[in-house]
Amino acid sequence: GEVREKIEILVKRGGREVELDSNSGGQNQRMDICAIVSFHQLINSSLEYGKGFDFLLIDEKIDAFIDNKGIQRSIKLIQDLGLTTLVI
């Protein structure tokens, strides 16, 4: 048969796998940001040096679901990447 690569996202809390819908809206938003960053790094790591994207677009992921502390943490994570970033 045909071989397909599959990416599966697992979320663990306290060492145990949890369902995505068991998290708050803010937790889900932060996990979405982490997934965006992870996929960005995965794609860039598979390319030759200098051929990846030094740009990250995050659309509507930092909003009312995340409290002020969560917003600050999310922004710091994004800034620490050192990428050109557009947050909408």
Side-chain angles (χ1 to χ4, degrees):
E2 184 179 331
V3 176
R4 294 183 180 196
E5 292 186 34
K6 180 180 177 183
I7 296 174
E8 185 176 359
I9 298 174
L10 300 175
V11 177
K12 292 188 175 189
R13 184 181 307 132
R16 297 174 63 167
E17 188 174 331
V18 296
E19 296 292 325
L20 289 176
D21 60 359
S22 69
N23 298 301
S24 70
Q27 288 170 323
N28 283 336
Q29 293 285 29
R30 288 192 295 274
M31 286 188 293
D32 286 347
I33 293 169
C34 290
I36 291 167
V37 169
S38 296
F39 282 120
H40 179 273
Q41 291 177 337
L42 177 66
I43 291 167
N44 280 346
S45 70
S46 67
L47 300 172
E48 292 180 36
Y49 179 77
K51 292 193 176 184
F53 292 103
D54 181 26
F55 181 77
L56 186 63
L57 172 66
I58 299 177
D59 186 14
E60 298 182 8
K61 288 298 167 193
I62 300 178
D63 63 11
F65 284 117
I66 303 178
D67 61 16
N68 286 336
K69 188 174 182 179
I71 290 171
Q72 295 304 316
R73 285 179 168 171
S74 298
I75 290 172
K76 177 156 179 24
L77 165 77
I78 295 164
Q79 288 174 334
D80 288 349
L81 295 172
L83 300 169
T84 302
T85 306
L86 175 61
V87 178
I88 299 173

